[in-house]
Amino acid sequence: MASPVSQLATRIAYGAMQLPRVAWYVGHGEIMRRLSQGVRRREGTSARPKPQTERPVPERRRLFADMAKLFQQDLANVEAGIYPLPADHDGSWLKRLHRSRLFFEDLPDVHRRRESGEMRQVLTDDIRGKRPGYYLQNFHFQSGGWLTDDSARRYDTQVEVLFNGSANAIRRQALVPLHEVFAGRDQRRLRLLDIGCGTGRFLDFVKQSWPRLPVVGIDMSDAYIAEARRHLRRWGWLNLAVAKAEAIPLPDASQDALTSVFLFHELPPKVRRRALGEFARVLKPGGRLVLLDSLQFGDEPDYDGMLELFPQNFHEPYYTSYLTEDFRSIAAAHGLAHMRDVNAFTAKVMVFDKR
Ligand SMILES: C[S@@+](CC[C@H](N)C(=O)[O-])C[C@H]1O[C@@H](n2cnc3c(N)ncnc32)[C@H](O)[C@@H]1O
C-alpha cells in the first residue's frame, strides 16, 4: 500500500503530464473547428449530403465528463500497480510543433476530399497489386492513406485531436487484461504480438509495463513500421515487421497474448473473419486475445448517434458494418471464448481466451 505522500506525488505527476496534453489536443480541435467554419462561410453550402442521424448524440459536456472518468480509471490502474505511471513520449516541443504543422497543413486537402468524396488517391500504378484493394484508400480522407512517411508522422496528432488527448489513455486500458494473465509469470518466457501496430504507441506502453517481454508488432504499412521503429528505439526484445493481419508470418500456437488496437473497424467484414482465424491459429491454447476498438451500437446508447455520424464525416468505409459486427460469435467459431467487454470512453476492450 503506497503512503499518502507517494500517492499524492503520483497524482500530481499524473495530472502534470495529462492535463497539458489534453489542453494541447483540445486546442488543436478548437482551431480546426474554427478553420472549417471559416471555410464553410467562404464556400457557402456544401454539395455533399448533410450528415444525419436520428439516434442520440452526446453534448460536449457529457463527453468531457466521460473522458474525465477514463483518466480517473487510468490513474486508478497506476495506483493499483497494474501499470507504471505512463510516459506518453510525445517528443520534444520542436517535434510536436512540427507534427502540428503537418496536421494543419493537411486540413485543406482533407476538406477537399471530404467535399468531393475522393478517397482512392493512394491507388497508384506503383502500389497496385502490392496491397489489398480495401487497404488502398485515403482512410479519414488523410493524404497518403496509410502509405507515406508524412501520413505516419501526422497520424498520432490526428488521433489525439479526434479523442481530445485521450487516445493513449484509452490504449492503456488494454493492458489490464494482459496484466491479469502475465502477473507472476517470467515475462522473458512469454510472447506478445500486436497486430496493426501502427506507429507503435500501444507497444510503448506494453514495454513500459514489461520491459523484457519479447514482443512483435506487425502492420501492413512500411511507413508506419518505420515510424514505430523510430518511436520504440529505446526498447530491446522487440521485433517490427511489415505483414498483414490475415496472413501472420508466425508459427501455430506460438503466442501467449495477441493485441490489436483500432484495427478491426478499418477491415471489411470478410477480412475481419480471416484475421480472427489467423489470431486463433498463432495463439497458444489458454492464450489471451485483447481487441481494443470503437464502441459498437448499444454499448453506450447515448453515443449511438455520434457513432453513426462518424463515418459520414471521415472516410471510414467499413465502420458502419463494424458497429453491428458480432465479434463473440466470429471468435467462438475459431475457438476463442469471449471473456468480457469493458467500455473505455468512446472505445471498448474486448477480451477472449483460446480454449
Ligand atoms: C487506425 S490505425 C491503428 C494503429 C495503432 N494500432 C494505434 O493504436 O493507433 C490502423 C493500422 O492498421 C494497419 N492495417 C490496416 N489493415 C491492416 C491489415 N490487414 N493488416 C495489418 N495492418 C493493417 C494500418 O496500416 C494502420 O497502421
Side-chain angles (χ1 to χ4, degrees):
M1 181 91 174
S3 71
V5 175
S6 86
Q7 197 180 43
L8 183 65
T10 302
R11 289 181 181 189
I12 291 173
Y14 183 86
M17 283 185 286
Q18 297 305 321
L19 289 172
R21 210 171 172 271
V22 168
W24 177 254
Y25 291 112
V26 169
H28 280 59
E30 204 44 55
I31 296 172
M32 182 175 74
R33 256 184 296 282
R34 288 184 190 191
L35 289 173
S36 67
Q37 275 162 8
V39 170
R40 257 182 263 133
R41 264 198 304 273
R42 275 198 307 280
E43 292 184 355
T45 7
S46 162
R48 76 180 176 112
K50 199 171 155 36
Q52 278 185 353
T53 181
E54 290 185 358
R55 301 169 197 256
V57 178
E59 288 182 5
R60 265 168 86 74
R61 207 166 355 138
R62 163 74 190 274
L63 277 175
F64 280 107
D66 288 353
M67 192 168 102
K69 286 188 201 144
L70 167 77
F71 282 108
Q72 278 165 11
Q73 183 60 55
D74 195 33
L75 175 61
N77 293 342
V78 172
E79 291 183 333
I82 293 173
Y83 45 83
L85 191 65
D88 291 289
H89 291 138
D90 292 319
S92 65
W93 279 106
L94 209 62
K95 186 172 171 183
R96 282 179 229 193
L97 285 170
H98 174 63
R99 291 182 174 219
S100 298
R101 205 188 79 195
L102 286 174
F103 167 78
F104 284 117
E105 276 174 0
D106 199 35
L107 292 180
D109 289 333
V110 169
H111 172 75
R112 265 193 295 279
R113 279 184 208 104
R114 188 178 281 131
E115 288 300 304
S116 66
E118 174 55 77
M119 56 345 183
R120 283 274 178 188
Q121 291 175 335
V122 289
L123 183 56
T124 59
D125 286 343
D126 291 354
I127 194 79
R128 197 185 295 274
K130 295 188 185 143
R131 294 285 182 278
Y134 73 81
Y135 186 77
L136 297 176
Q137 306 191 43
N138 296 80
F139 284 88
H140 316 149
F141 292 120
Q142 70 195 14
S143 297
W146 301 123
L147 300 179
T148 63
D149 293 343
D150 274 354
S151 157
R153 290 197 190 99
R154 255 190 319 258
Y155 172 79
D156 288 295
T157 308
Q158 287 174 327
V159 175
E160 288 292 9
V161 173
L162 183 67
F163 287 103
N164 290 311
S166 69
N168 276 347
I170 290 176
R171 289 186 180 104
R172 290 192 284 272
Q173 305 316 302
L175 299 172
V176 178
L178 293 178
H179 174 82
E180 270 168 23
V181 289
F182 287 175
R185 296 168 73 186
D186 181 352
Q187 53 181 277
R188 292 166 303 180
R189 296 187 185 282
L190 298 168
R191 297 288 178 275
L192 178 140
L193 167 67
D194 185 40
I195 303 121
C197 65
T199 59
R201 266 42 185 188
F202 176 65
L203 280 178
D204 196 354
F205 297 118
V206 170
K207 294 302 283 187
Q208 289 177 35
S209 302
W210 301 282
R212 292 200 286 169
L213 171 70
V215 304
V216 176
I218 62 168
D219 196 283
M220 225 187 327
S221 166
D222 294 272
Y224 279 63
I225 285 289
E227 174 62 26
R229 284 207 179 101
R230 274 190 292 278
H231 184 71
L232 296 167
R233 63 183 175 273
R234 71 182 72 82
W235 301 112
W237 306 68
L238 177 88
N239 194 351
L240 298 167
V242 177
K244 48 181 173 174
E246 57 273 39
I248 299 174
L250 287 173
D252 295 0
S254 56
Q255 306 300 307
D256 296 280
L258 255 55
T259 54
S260 194
V261 178
F262 300 139
L263 171 66
F264 272 74
H265 74 273
E266 307 277 357
L267 301 178
K270 269 190 197 154
V271 181
R272 276 181 216 135
R273 283 155 178 76
R274 288 214 297 277
L276 278 168
E278 271 297 86
F279 291 11
R281 180 184 68 75
V282 300
L283 206 50
K284 290 181 187 171
R288 175 151 282 194
L289 166 64
V290 182
L291 301 182
L292 171 64
D293 213 313
S294 161
L295 292 173
Q296 295 179 280
F297 279 151
D299 287 330
E300 183 59 67
D302 294 347
Y303 283 18
D304 279 357
M306 184 176 78
L307 303 182
E308 193 172 22
L309 289 173
F310 180 60
Q312 301 179 49
N313 288 315
F314 294 85
H315 180 54
E316 285 286 8
Y318 310 112
Y319 188 84
T320 301
S321 69
Y322 168 88
L323 289 175
T324 52
E325 185 66 278
D326 183 354
F327 283 98
R328 289 177 201 205
S329 64
I330 311 172
H334 292 292
L336 299 166
H338 178 255
M339 307 309 288
R340 64 174 184 277
D341 285 356
V342 181
N343 291 358
F345 186 33
T346 53
K348 67 171 169 178
V349 181
M350 297 178 257
V351 185
F352 304 87
D353 283 347
K354 184 167 167 183
R355 289 180 224 274

